[in-house]
Amino acid sequence: MDKTVFELLNDQINKELYSAYLYLDMANFYSKKGLDGFANWYEIQAKEEQDHAMLMYRYLHNNDQDVTLGAIAKPDKTFATLLDPLKAGLEHERYVTSLINAIYAAAVKASDFRTTQFLDWFIKEQGEEEKNSTDLITKMELFGDDARGLYLLNQELAGRVYSAPSLVLD
């Protein structure tokens, strides 16, 4: 495997685990506000990020690469309003998309087609994550100021269930 591609993938494991920490911090914020549905949404987001890290971890091992784990930074965001975590989540997803795109570009440059095929799933996943984040912000802006609307949105988010990704690794 190309050295640059390996280093980017290895570093992305840490960034995915940081994402899980960030989303747990957001879940914690909403739990303190009594919004268990919002907390559920971000707890599931955290699980998904952990899965993403593990997919990359396994992919590197399956390709005879030694993974080096780094320290996971503490989330540094502070939230004042109920909308703040949602906006921070979208900003973070856009950042992660840029990271995945950079890994993909490096893999293309190295003619590492196995890795580009592996990353195809992540490219699609990031599109879904950005759309989900945008949709959630839109709903919050429409209904969040109304107590009944906030209650119903919280109930909707409480209904989200975790589903592990089904990605075949080479």
Side-chain angles (χ1 to χ4, degrees):
M1 179 178 286
D2 177 78
K3 182 181 180 207
T4 300
V5 172
F6 162 74
E7 289 172 353
L8 289 169
L9 279 169
N10 192 85
D11 191 45
Q12 189 63 29
I13 293 169
N14 181 274
K15 289 182 169 128
E16 297 291 336
L17 292 171
Y18 170 79
S19 296
Y21 269 35
L22 178 64
Y23 290 141
L24 281 177
D25 195 41
M26 292 174 180
N28 190 45
F29 171 82
Y30 285 119
S31 287
K32 289 179 190 175
K33 299 290 185 187
L35 294 169
D36 58 334
F38 283 82
N40 177 63
W41 176 269
Y42 280 109
E43 288 168 4
I44 290 173
Q45 284 297 109
K47 288 178 187 174
E48 285 185 359
E49 301 304 338
Q50 290 170 334
D51 282 348
H52 297 169
M54 289 306 299
L55 288 169
M56 291 178 186
Y57 172 88
R58 284 190 206 109
Y59 178 77
L60 288 175
H61 276 283
N62 289 349
N63 285 277
D64 297 321
Q65 301 298 311
D66 292 326
V67 173
T68 304
L69 300 175
I72 302 169
K74 178 182 176 183
D76 61 355
K77 300 278 185 189
T78 56
F79 310 115
T81 72
L82 297 178
L83 192 57
D84 287 347
L86 304 180
K87 289 184 175 182
L90 175 58
E91 177 186 332
H92 186 72
E93 288 300 338
R94 287 178 174 157
Y95 169 67
V96 171
T97 297
S98 75
L99 296 172
I100 299 295
N101 288 344
I103 302 168
Y104 197 96
V108 168
K109 183 177 179 184
S111 297
D112 183 350
F113 303 114
R114 179 182 296 164
T115 299
T116 59
Q117 184 179 24
F118 169 71
L119 291 172
D120 283 342
W121 181 87
F122 288 93
I123 298 287
K124 182 177 182 253
E125 174 72 5
Q126 282 310 119
E128 291 172 7
E129 293 296 348
E130 287 187 32
K131 180 175 182 346
N132 289 341
S133 294
T134 301
D135 290 350
L136 192 49
I137 290 169
T138 299
K139 288 178 181 180
M140 187 65 163
E141 289 174 340
L142 287 171
F143 310 118
D145 290 335
D146 174 68
R148 288 176 294 190
L150 182 60
Y151 175 80
L152 291 173
L153 183 54
N154 188 61
Q155 291 302 109
E156 176 185 326
L157 298 179
R160 183 179 186 199
V161 294
Y162 175 72
S163 178
S166 57
L167 179 63
V168 177
L169 301 176
D170 291 344

